Amino acid sequence: MERIICLLAGYLFGLIQSGYFYGRAHKIDIRNHGSGNSGTTNALRVMGAKAGAIVFVGDFLKAFLPCMAVRLIFRGQPDMIYLLILYVGFGVILGHNYPFYLSFKGGKGIAATAGLIVAVDLWLMLLCLVVFVLIVGVTRYVSLGSLVVAAILFVWLVLFAAMGIYEVPPALRPEYYIMAGLISGQAYWRHRANIGRLIHGTENKLSVGSGKKG
């Protein structure tokens, strides 16, 4: 029951489409511009740095806050905390990527994933931040940085549970590993067009306020 509640609660938080609402407040439907999604990168490209920052913070918090709430609510069940964080985080990502009231047309879930990462482990956050900044700084491919961070997240979650650093009982680890795979896999699924462009060398580089397709 806790799993279902966390997944549904996460989905409800994920429905808070920061990019869509910010765009509407400025008389823009961001889904009709740039890449057509309502996430941070498209907001940055279409509406500028201020919009990108606001949208990122909104999408980050909608994952971070419910994940931290899980830590508080289930503090008496430490063997369940990490698994339930993944459930609520995955729910947020699904709500962000597939909002029912926007015809299931949302973002790619990276800012929401960042909120999950910070809630899981600050050291993981630091590693992902450094890697992301280095990759984007050198290549200017936000998609590449996002995909590498998603891979790091999966490997980190699996290794730290397997080594016993995260308190995940052996009986729950297969389920925990599946959830970690779903979270990271969702990033790759939503970036499948970007992956194709990266392979063919046609991926768009980071730009601000240009409205570029990407």
Side-chain angles (χ1 to χ4, degrees):
M1 181 60 73
E2 294 98 336
R3 295 166 174 79
I4 295 173
I5 291 173
C6 286
L7 192 64
L8 291 177
Y11 184 81
L12 291 176
F13 272 92
L15 293 177
I16 305 171
Q17 295 288 312
S18 306
Y20 175 77
F21 292 130
Y22 184 92
R24 279 301 192 185
H26 293 79
K27 305 187 186 317
I28 295 174
D29 186 343
I30 194 172
R31 299 172 304 154
N32 296 328
H33 300 271
S35 65
N37 73 71
S38 59
T40 298
T41 302
N42 200 38
L44 179 68
R45 284 178 173 151
V46 174
M47 297 184 288
K50 178 182 177 182
I54 291 173
V55 171
F56 174 82
V57 170
D59 289 343
F60 172 90
L61 289 176
K62 73 185 182 187
F64 175 74
L65 293 177
C67 287
M68 292 304 294
V70 166
R71 281 193 175 277
L72 178 63
I73 294 169
F74 295 98
R75 62 187 181 278
Q77 299 175 256
D79 59 330
M80 289 290 291
I81 285 178
Y82 284 102
L83 178 61
L84 294 180
I85 285 175
L86 297 191
Y87 267 97
V88 75
F90 185 55
V92 174
I93 292 167
L94 289 179
H96 176 79
N97 292 353
Y98 310 105
F100 71 89
Y101 65 96
L102 295 178
S103 302
F104 300 97
K105 186 180 180 182
K108 296 181 179 178
I110 299 304
T113 302
L116 166 66
I117 287 171
V118 175
V120 168
D121 193 321
L122 290 178
W123 288 108
L124 171 60
M125 177 274 293
L126 182 60
L127 173 62
C128 289
L129 179 61
V130 170
V131 171
F132 181 83
V133 169
L134 284 175
I135 290 175
V136 176
V138 172
T139 69
R140 297 189 65 80
Y141 291 143
V142 174
S143 57
L144 181 59
S146 300
L147 291 167
V148 173
V149 164
I152 290 172
L153 172 61
F154 176 74
V155 173
W156 182 289
L157 289 174
V158 169
L159 285 180
F160 275 56
M163 293 187 297
I165 297 173
Y166 293 164
E167 193 171 343
V168 182
L172 294 178
R173 286 179 189 171
E175 180 183 1
Y176 169 90
Y177 296 152
I178 289 171
M179 293 306 300
L182 288 173
I183 289 169
S184 295
Q186 184 64 203
Y188 279 80
W189 174 253
R190 294 294 287 175
H191 282 84
R192 58 194 185 279
N194 303 83
I195 293 172
R197 290 195 294 270
L198 284 168
I199 291 172
H200 293 98
T202 57
E203 174 68 321
N204 291 318
K205 296 189 176 184
L206 178 65
S207 59
V208 179
S210 69
K212 276 184 72 176
K213 190 81 174 170

